[in-house]
């Protein structure tokens, strides 16, 4: 029986409930009046100076996904854009992954790090190598990292991860520093999540890969990741361990996308019901080619059109949740998805261990092929040319605006009063310290225009003063 308040994975991600939902959605996919009423319910509504959005249940969102009416799809896209603008504006947060180790004891059949792969080069960064990688990332202009590691209790124990986090935060190079480390490592214990919290991490990210239990167990035939319940309940343990912000995601292509979509939203509903706050982010990776992995071996791949529809509906269903698209996707795909709901992108990513310090792009330790291979400066320039504000801001973490405190600001629409000026100030830092002359010129013009959009006069003046200080070589990271 479906019970979003349960702490048991097979109750809050209930197979029978998903199948019932998909059957109901299929039977009602041509019920245009019902669909129109759901779209109307999801529209942002202003009360005084605040904007509110109801979001959608997994049933309602699944019905919209099932509907293939072209006019409805246009309305879905328009609504996704409206919601994205209402809560995230034109800001796009930028980050980079940092791969620490590809040693892994799991047998995941879609990942080249699986333990049976004997020809992939296995590598684990020393602390000196971590430092070199971080300096290379700082020299690009990155301020926010997501650390990645295979699951191996001997080579990659929690003590190693914690030591790497300490090293990353300790490195101050020229004007560079990493202000926030997000963590994407295997499911672990409440005790270990407490250690990660104490280490000052930002968001804990863990992809479910697939919510279909039978498929999950077949795709993870060996290793600790085989345990579906332990993996699926990880976010509950993370929150019990004090981590406020968690990030969900499925790997689209492993199972039927409608099933995964319903399961993903049910997981978000569960977190909201039990912990009072839903996921901080949702990632939407698609399976890609890698070392000994052929995506065509999996028969649930999705087209770019379906992918765009999924992103738009996630934005409508969970309007306050950040959405992440990585360099797995091409420039063209990322450009479309930015408009429909994505609020965070990676830039100049390397998905190999030690990839940022090697002269040529290494492929022998890559987790997946990178589609968007542009430099960070090129990504920043591209975003500016599209009218977006590239943001390197991490102020919410430093100011304690995490978990329900962040969500309350976001749900009221007031988060933009913090994020908009902070985005401009961190963009100014990038322009002064790292940008090419063309990017700097475009960025300064954008900042000048966007400063006038800050509604509070006092906040606007503070932002102007700080931007002048940054131009004069002063660095004040409080904003």
């Amino acid at each position: 029986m479906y019970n979003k308040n349960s702490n048991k994975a097979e109750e809050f991600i209930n197979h029978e409930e998903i199948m019932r939902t998909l059957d109901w959605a299929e039977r009602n996919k041509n019920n245009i009046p019902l669909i129109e009423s759901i779209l109307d319910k999801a529209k942002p509504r202003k009360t005084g100076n605040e904007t509110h959005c109801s979001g959608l249940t997994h049933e309602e969102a699944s019905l919209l996904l099932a509907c293939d009416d072209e006019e409805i799809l246009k309305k879905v896209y328009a609504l996704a854009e409206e919601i994205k603008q209402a809560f995230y504006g034109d800001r796009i947060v930028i980050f980079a992954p940092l791969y620490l180790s590809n040693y892994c004891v799991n047998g995941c059949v879609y990942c080249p790090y699986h333990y049976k792969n004997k020809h992939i080069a296995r590598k684990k960064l020393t602390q000196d190598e971590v430092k070199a990688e971080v300096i290379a990332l700082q020299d690009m202009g990155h301020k926010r990292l997501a650390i990645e590691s295979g699951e191996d209790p001997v080579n990659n124990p929690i003590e190693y991860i914690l030591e790497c986090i300490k090293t990353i935060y300790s490195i101050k190079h020229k004007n560079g520093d990493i202000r926030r480390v997000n963590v994407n490592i295997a499911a672990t214990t409440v005790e270990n999540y407490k250690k990660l919290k104490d280490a000052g991490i930002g968001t804990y990210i863990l992809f479910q890969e697939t919510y279909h239990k039978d498929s999950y167990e077949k795709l993870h035939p060996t290793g600790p990741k085989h345990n579906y319940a332990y993996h699926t309940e990880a976010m509950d343990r993370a929150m019990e361990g004090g981590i406020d912000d968690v990030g969900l995601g499925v790997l689209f292509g492993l199972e039927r996308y409608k099933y995964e979509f319903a399961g993903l939203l049910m997981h978000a509903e569960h977190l909201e019901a039990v912990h009072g706050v839903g996921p901080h982010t949702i990632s939407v990776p698609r399976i890609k080619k890698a070392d000994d992995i052929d995506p065509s071996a999996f028969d649930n791949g999705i087209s770019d059109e379906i992918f765009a529809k999924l992103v738009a509906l996630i934005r409508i269903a969970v309007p306050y949740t950040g959405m992440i698209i990585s360099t797995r996707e091409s420039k063209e795909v990322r450009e479309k998805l930015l408009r429909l709901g994505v609020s965070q992108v990676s830039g100049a990513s390397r998905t190999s261990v030690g990839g940022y310090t090697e002269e040529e792009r290494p492929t022998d330790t890559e987790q997946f092929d990178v589609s968007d291979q542009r430099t960070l400066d090129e990504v920043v320039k591209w975003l500016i040319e599209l009218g977006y504000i590239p943001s390197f801001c991490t102020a919410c973490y430093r100011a304690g605006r995490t978990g329900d405190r962040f969500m309350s600001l976001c749900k009221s629409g007031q988060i933009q009063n913090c994020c908009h000026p902070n985005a401009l100030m961190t963009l100014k830092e990038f322009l002064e310290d790292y940008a090419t002359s063309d990017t700097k010129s475009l960025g300064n013009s954008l900042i000048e225009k966007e400063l006038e959009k800050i509604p509070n006069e006092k906040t606007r003046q503070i932002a102007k003063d700080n931007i002048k200080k940054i131009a004069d070589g002063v660095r004040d990271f409080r904003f």
Side-chain angles (χ1 to χ4, degrees):
M1 179 178 178
Y2 174 53
N3 180 3
K4 64 184 178 182
N5 293 289
S6 172
N7 61 2
K8 295 182 179 179
E10 291 182 64
E11 293 183 4
F12 65 79
I13 306 293
N14 181 266
H15 174 74
E16 287 72 24
E17 168 62 15
I18 294 178
M19 297 308 295
R20 184 202 66 75
T21 295
L22 299 185
D23 177 67
W24 175 81
E26 186 65 24
R27 285 186 285 106
N28 287 278
K29 68 179 183 180
N30 297 316
N31 187 340
I32 301 302
L34 175 58
I35 290 168
E36 293 275 14
S37 70
I38 291 172
L39 287 171
D40 182 68
K41 169 195 170 184
K43 289 179 180 178
R45 287 174 167 80
K46 289 191 74 70
T47 304
N49 293 324
E50 296 188 351
T51 303
H52 297 271
C53 215
S54 67
L56 297 176
T57 65
H58 66 275
E59 298 99 333
E60 293 166 333
S62 292
L63 176 55
L64 295 182
L65 183 59
C67 178
D68 52 15
D69 182 275
E70 286 298 320
E71 291 304 311
I72 292 296
L73 181 59
K74 290 178 184 177
K75 292 180 179 181
V76 164
Y77 283 175
L79 180 56
E81 289 186 51
E82 182 182 358
I83 291 172
K84 165 75 184 304
Q85 191 63 35
F87 295 102
Y88 285 91
D90 292 321
R91 300 179 316 281
I92 302 295
V93 171
I94 296 179
F95 73 98
L98 174 58
Y99 281 74
L100 302 176
S101 171
N102 63 1
Y103 284 95
C104 194
V105 298
N106 288 311
C108 314
V109 302
Y110 52 83
C111 177
Y113 291 175
H114 64 90
Y115 81 102
K116 284 186 178 180
N117 189 347
K118 301 303 182 184
H119 59 83
I120 192 172
R122 299 290 175 175
K123 184 175 176 62
K124 169 186 173 181
L125 297 181
T126 65
Q127 295 309 305
D128 284 343
E129 288 171 330
V130 170
K131 182 177 180 179
E133 290 279 290
V134 169
I135 288 174
L137 285 157
Q138 289 174 347
D139 280 340
M140 294 182 202
H142 278 294
K143 306 294 183 187
R144 179 190 300 234
L145 301 183
I147 60 173
E148 319 267 350
S149 176
E151 183 171 11
D152 186 325
V154 174
N155 287 292
N156 317 324
I158 190 66
E159 291 76 18
Y160 171 70
I161 302 298
L162 295 170
E163 186 181 10
C164 289
I165 293 170
K166 184 177 180 180
T167 296
I168 292 167
Y169 279 142
S170 73
I171 301 165
K172 312 299 178 186
H173 172 67
K174 298 179 180 178
N175 284 333
D177 64 336
I178 300 302
R179 300 173 187 167
R180 190 53 47 194
V181 175
N182 296 334
V183 175
N184 185 354
I185 62 169
T188 187
T189 63
V190 172
E191 181 184 11
N192 284 342
Y193 286 125
K194 289 178 179 177
K195 292 177 181 178
L196 289 171
K197 171 69 174 178
D198 291 342
I201 74 163
T203 305
Y204 172 68
I205 302 163
L206 183 67
F207 297 165
Q208 180 61 29
E209 319 300 3
T210 176
Y211 284 99
H212 192 289
K213 184 174 183 291
D214 288 347
S215 294
Y216 180 96
E217 291 175 346
K218 291 175 183 175
L219 291 163
H220 306 93
T222 57
K225 197 169 179 177
H226 176 75
N227 188 328
Y228 174 85
Y230 188 78
H231 187 86
T232 312
E233 294 160 9
M235 296 310 187
D236 295 275
R237 294 194 301 277
M239 287 187 162
E240 185 180 343
I243 295 176
D244 295 317
D245 294 337
V246 298
L248 304 180
V250 295
L251 184 54
F252 284 106
L254 297 180
E255 244 302 335
R256 293 163 296 165
Y257 69 89
K258 292 180 181 178
Y259 191 102
E260 303 290 35
F261 179 74
L264 180 65
L265 295 186
M266 288 167 74
H267 202 166
E269 290 169 356
H270 163 72
L271 295 177
E272 182 81 44
V274 174
H275 303 283
V277 58
H280 186 69
T281 58
I282 289 178
S283 299
V284 286
R286 288 191 287 183
I287 191 167
K288 294 288 180 179
K289 185 179 183 302
D291 190 66
D292 66 340
I293 305 300
D294 179 3
S296 65
F298 302 88
D299 55 7
N300 291 298
I302 57 174
S303 66
D304 290 350
E305 291 73 23
I306 292 296
F307 193 36
K309 189 176 182 181
L310 285 165
V311 168
L313 286 172
I314 291 171
R315 170 50 62 225
I316 294 170
V318 281
Y320 313 114
T321 296
M323 289 185 67
I324 300 174
I325 194 78
S326 77
T327 52
R328 284 175 182 263
E329 299 297 338
S330 68
K331 169 181 175 286
E332 292 72 24
V333 169
R334 299 210 309 167
E335 190 164 314
K336 182 174 184 177
L337 300 187
L338 286 171
R339 184 168 49 85
L340 296 177
V342 164
S343 58
Q344 295 189 28
V345 299
S346 52
S349 300
R350 300 290 186 270
T351 67
S352 52
V353 182
Y356 295 105
T357 51
E358 297 191 22
E359 290 186 9
E360 295 185 6
R361 181 182 293 268
T363 58
D364 61 344
T365 63
E366 280 189 323
Q367 190 183 34
F368 57 85
D369 286 357
V370 172
S371 296
D372 187 343
Q373 299 194 10
R374 292 173 295 169
T375 66
L376 182 56
D377 183 86
E378 289 171 332
V379 171
V380 169
K381 183 182 178 185
W382 164 68
L383 291 171
I384 293 170
E385 288 173 337
L386 292 173
Y388 295 107
I389 305 169
S391 175
F392 297 86
C393 179
T394 60
C396 281
Y397 293 109
R398 297 195 307 282
R401 293 190 294 265
T402 57
D404 57 354
R405 295 169 296 289
F406 173 85
M407 284 297 175
S408 65
L409 282 171
C410 193
K411 289 179 179 181
S412 67
Q414 296 303 308
I415 197 67
Q416 291 202 53
N417 292 325
C418 303
C419 293
H420 187 79
N422 291 346
L424 296 176
M425 286 183 277
T426 59
L427 174 58
K428 182 64 175 177
E429 287 179 322
F430 177 86
L431 297 176
E432 292 295 321
D433 295 341
Y434 309 103
T436 59
S437 58
D438 285 350
T439 302
K440 186 174 180 178
S441 177
L442 287 169
N444 282 329
S445 296
L446 176 71
I447 288 171
E448 187 175 344
K449 180 181 69 174
E450 290 293 331
L451 279 169
E452 300 309 316
K453 295 182 181 179
I454 299 174
N456 183 281
E457 183 178 347
K458 182 178 179 181
T459 302
R460 184 167 63 250
Q461 190 57 52
I462 291 172
K464 287 182 177 181
D465 291 344
N466 280 348
I467 283 172
K468 184 179 184 305
K469 288 180 183 179
I470 292 167
D472 292 338
V474 178
R475 294 294 179 269
D476 186 343
F477 300 137
R478 287 177 296 175
F479 266 87

